[in-house]
C-alpha cells in the first residue's frame, strides 16, 4: 500500500511538471528561441542515449558518460570506465567528447571529461567583400570539467558536475568564458523496477565578448562602436521516470523512459525512449521528442563486446531526424578498465 501511494504521488508530481503551460491562460506560448548560446552543451555525446531520445534522467547508467547526463548515477560504475564519442553535426561541424570515471569507495565516484566543437574552416566575408576576402576562420567551443557523485542511502544518490566553458574565434581574439554547474539526483523508488531522476544542467553566469564592433546602417558606419551583448548558457531542467520490464528474464531486458524537459530558451517537451537488450549482447533503441523545433525521432543500436570477445567494450550508433537539417549520425565507444 505504501509503495502504491508513493508511485501515485510521484506520477502526480511528474505529470504536473510535464503538463505545466507556464501560466499561459490559454494564450499562445512564444518560444524564446535564439536567446541563449553555447548550445554545444546540449549535444548528446553518448550515441546510446541519443538513440533513445535523450530520456536519461532516471536511467541507471553504469558508464563514464554519466558525467554528461545524470552524474548522480556515477556511483553505479563497476570500477573504472573510459568513454569517447563523436557526432557528425550539420554543415560538417564536428563534436567530440571523452570522459574517464572511477569509483572512490564508500559510495563515492569521480569523473573527468571534455566536450569540444569545431566548425572547421569558414570563408571570411566583409560588408565590402561579400564574396570573400580569401581568408578563413573557425569557431571553436570547449568545456572541460570534473564530476562527483555520492550515494547518500541505498536508494538515493546525488551528483555535481563543475565545468569551464570557453568559445569563440581565437584568430580575432574574440573569446568568452565562464564556469557552469550541473546538479542531479537519482532515486530507486522500491516500486518494482521504477527509478526516478532529476537534473539541472548548465546553471551559470552569462558569457560576454569583451570587444566592440562597427555597426552599419544603410551602408554608413555608426558614430560609436557597438558592444557585444552577453548571452545565457542553455539552462535546462529535466525530470524523468524509468521502468525495466522482463526484470526476471536473464536473456532480455526492456527499459522505457519518459522525461519532462523545461529549457530556458524553448517550449517544454516530453522525451520518450526505449531500449531492448538481448543477452547483454545487442541493444536496439528508439526515441521521440514531443515538442521540438527541429528534431522528431531517433534510433540506434549498441553492441557489447564482453559477450563474444571477452573485453568490456561497447559500441553505440544512433541516427536522428532533424528535419531541414537532415539526418545526424553519431557513434560512441565505452571501455571498462
Amino acid at each position: 500500500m505504501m509503495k502504491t501511494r508513493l508511485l501515485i504521488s510521484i506520477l502526480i508530481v511528474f505529470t504536473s511538471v510535464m503538463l505545466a503551460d507556464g501560466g499561459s491562460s490559454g494564450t499562445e506560448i512564444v518560444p524564446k528561441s535564439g536567446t541563449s548560446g553555447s548550445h554545444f552543451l546540449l549535444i548528446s555525446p553518448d550515441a546510446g542515449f541519443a538513440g533513445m531520445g535523450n530520456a536519461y534522467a532516471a536511467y541507471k547508467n553504469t558508464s563514464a558518460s554519466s558525467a554528461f547526463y545524470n552524474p548522480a548515477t556515477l556511483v553505479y560504475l563497476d570500477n573504472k570506465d573510459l568513454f569517447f564519442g563523436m557526432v557528425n553535426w550539420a554543415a560538417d561541424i564536428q563534436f567530440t567528447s571523452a570522459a574517464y570515471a572511477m569509483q572512490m569507495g564508500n559510495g563515492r565516484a569521480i569523473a573527468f571529461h571534455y566536450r569540444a566543437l569545431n566548425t572547421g574552416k569558414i570563408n571570411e566575408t566583409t560588408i565590402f567583400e561579400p564574396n570573400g576576402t580569401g581568408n578563413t576562420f573557425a569557431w571553436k567551443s570547449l568545456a572541460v570539467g570534473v564530476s562527483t557523485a555520492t550515494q547518500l542511502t541505498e536508494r538515493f544518490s546525488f551528483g555535481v558536475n563543475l565545468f569551464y566553458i570557453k568559445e569563440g574565434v581565437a584568430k580575432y581574439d574574440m573569446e568568452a568564458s565562464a564556469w557552469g554547474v550541473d546538479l542531479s539526483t537519482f532515486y530507486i523508488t522500491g516500486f518494482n523496477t521504477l527509478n526516478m531522476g532529476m537534473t539541472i544542467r548548465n546553471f551559470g553566469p552569462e558569457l560576454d565578448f569583451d570587444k566592440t564592433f562597427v555597426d552599419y546602417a544603410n551602408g554608413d558606419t555608426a558614430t560609436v562602436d557597438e558592444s557585444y551583448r552577453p548571452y545565457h548558457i542553455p539552462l535546462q531542467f529535466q525530470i524523468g521516470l524509468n521502468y525495466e520490464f522482463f526484470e526476471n528474464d536473464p536473456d532480455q531486458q526492456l527499459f522505457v523512459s519518459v522525461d519532462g524537459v523545461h529549457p530556458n530558451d524553448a517550449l517544454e517537451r516530453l522525451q520518450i525512449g526505449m531500449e531492448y537488450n538481448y543477452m547483454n549482447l545487442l541493444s536496439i533503441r528508439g526515441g521521440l521528442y514531443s515538442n521540438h523545433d527541429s528534431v522528431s525521432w531517433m534510433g540506434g543500436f549498441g553492441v557489447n563486446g564482453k559477450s563474444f570477445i571477452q573485453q568490456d567494450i561497447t559500441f553505440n550508433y544512433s541516427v536522428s531526424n532533424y528535419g531541414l537539417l537532415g539526418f545526424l549520425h553519431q557513434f560512441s565507444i565505452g571501455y571498462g578498465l
Side-chain angles (χ1 to χ4, degrees):
M1 181 63 68
M2 290 297 293
K3 290 183 178 180
T4 302
R5 290 177 179 175
L6 175 62
L7 176 61
I8 293 174
S9 300
I10 291 173
L11 289 176
I12 290 174
V13 173
F14 182 66
T15 305
S16 299
V17 172
M18 292 189 298
L19 298 180
D21 62 1
S24 62
S25 302
T27 60
E28 182 180 358
I29 303 174
V30 179
K32 296 180 288 185
S33 302
T35 58
S36 69
S38 301
H39 270 245
F40 79 103
L41 296 172
L42 295 181
I43 296 177
S44 184
D46 191 333
F49 281 121
M52 57 183 296
N54 290 307
Y56 54 76
Y59 187 95
K60 191 176 182 180
N61 191 5
T62 59
S63 77
S65 70
S66 296
F68 301 121
Y69 298 97
N70 187 338
T73 59
L74 284 168
V75 299
Y76 297 105
L77 287 169
D78 290 332
N79 186 19
K80 301 176 183 178
D81 193 70
L82 185 64
F83 168 86
F84 173 78
M86 189 174 82
V87 182
N88 293 319
W89 203 249
D92 296 326
I93 296 172
Q94 292 296 315
F95 176 82
T96 58
S97 58
Y100 170 76
M102 60 182 175
Q103 285 281 2
M104 301 293 288
N106 298 321
R108 295 180 296 116
I110 192 171
F112 305 92
H113 48 85
Y114 94 93
R115 289 164 286 178
L117 179 143
N118 190 335
T119 62
K121 292 182 179 180
I122 301 174
N123 292 327
E124 179 188 70
T125 62
T126 69
I127 193 169
F128 300 110
E129 297 180 276
N131 294 322
T133 65
N135 298 322
T136 61
F137 67 95
W139 178 280
K140 296 181 181 180
S141 300
L142 176 69
V144 293
V146 58
S147 302
T148 181
T150 302
Q151 193 167 16
L152 301 177
T153 70
E154 291 183 355
R155 295 183 179 180
F156 183 79
S157 58
F158 176 75
V160 179
N161 180 21
L162 177 66
F163 55 95
Y164 175 75
I165 315 163
K166 185 176 183 179
E167 65 178 2
V169 183
K171 178 177 180 179
Y172 302 138
D173 191 27
M174 189 179 73
E175 294 180 306
S177 60
W179 288 89
V181 177
D182 299 338
L183 302 175
S184 70
T185 60
F186 182 81
Y187 178 53
I188 300 174
T189 66
F191 182 85
N192 296 333
T193 59
L194 182 69
N195 297 330
M196 184 176 184
M198 182 276 295
T199 66
I200 300 175
R201 298 181 60 194
N202 307 323
F203 180 79
E206 295 179 327
L207 274 73
D208 190 11
F209 297 106
D210 188 19
K211 295 287 182 179
T212 60
F213 63 93
V214 178
D215 197 11
Y216 289 86
N218 297 321
D220 298 324
T221 59
T223 56
V224 179
D225 290 352
E226 292 281 344
S227 297
Y228 287 95
R229 293 168 177 79
Y231 57 92
H232 296 279
I233 59 178
L235 179 67
Q236 181 170 285
F237 173 76
Q238 189 160 338
I239 183 172
L241 298 173
N242 175 271
Y243 195 90
E244 177 188 349
F245 296 88
F246 312 137
E247 67 271 18
N248 296 320
D249 190 332
D251 295 332
Q252 59 181 341
Q253 297 169 304
L254 176 63
F255 299 93
V256 177
S257 295
V258 180
D259 286 11
V261 182
H262 178 84
N264 69 340
D265 59 354
L267 299 177
E268 289 82 4
R269 63 178 179 268
L270 284 179
Q271 296 178 184
I272 304 171
M274 60 78 62
E275 177 186 71
Y276 175 76
N277 188 307
Y278 180 71
M279 298 288 289
N280 197 30
L281 169 63
L282 177 66
S283 297
I284 304 297
R285 306 181 178 100
L288 294 170
Y289 276 19
S290 70
N291 192 24
H292 196 273
D293 57 4
S294 55
V295 67
S296 54
W297 59 264
M298 304 89 158
F301 67 88
V303 178
N304 189 347
K306 195 172 184 178
S307 300
F308 60 93
I309 61 174
Q310 306 305 312
Q311 294 290 327
D312 190 8
I313 184 170
T314 58
F315 174 84
N316 291 312
Y317 166 82
S318 72
V319 57
S320 303
N321 180 12
Y322 272 79
L324 293 176
L325 296 178
F327 292 93
L328 302 184
H329 305 270
Q330 67 184 92
F331 73 87
S332 60
I333 297 174
Y335 184 69
L337 304 174

